[in-house]
Amino acid sequence: LSNQKKYGDAAAAFEEAVRLNPKYLEAYTKLGYTYACLGDLSKAKETFQKALALFPQDPRLKEGFLLLLEGFLRHKPGYTILL
């Protein structure tokens, strides 16, 4: 429960960072991972997609999104809506 609160606090901080600077790549990346840690894979996917639209050539971002998808699909076989 303590970790959930920390992740919730982190998500709020990264959301604010993105709001203040919509081109802050690291905030998007960390926000996406934080949503994934909270189990909100829809928001994680949405966050990575926004970042990919802003920074389509960033290899770290592409790798992070692929790792998120791979981890999700490993735990939820047959769930392909993220693809």
Side-chain angles (χ1 to χ4, degrees):
L1 187 61
S2 177
N3 281 341
Q4 287 295 97
K5 180 178 177 355
K6 289 178 184 176
Y7 285 126
D9 292 345
F14 293 130
E15 287 167 355
E16 181 67 5
V18 167
R19 186 185 70 74
L20 293 172
N21 182 357
K23 294 196 176 193
Y24 186 8
L25 173 60
E26 189 172 350
Y28 276 105
T29 303
K30 291 185 177 185
L31 180 58
Y33 283 126
T34 301
Y35 283 143
C37 289
L38 286 167
D40 193 338
L41 298 175
S42 295
K43 281 190 176 180
K45 173 194 158 210
E46 180 182 319
T47 301
F48 274 104
Q49 286 178 321
K50 283 181 186 177
L52 282 166
L54 290 169
F55 308 97
Q57 299 306 317
D58 191 283
R60 297 168 299 154
L61 188 56
K62 290 177 183 179
E63 182 179 327
F65 190 44
L66 288 174
L67 288 172
L68 175 70
L69 291 174
E70 179 184 286
F72 179 75
L73 292 174
R74 190 173 328 143
H75 290 92
K76 303 259 186 183
Y79 191 94
T80 57
I81 197 163
L82 291 175
L83 300 175

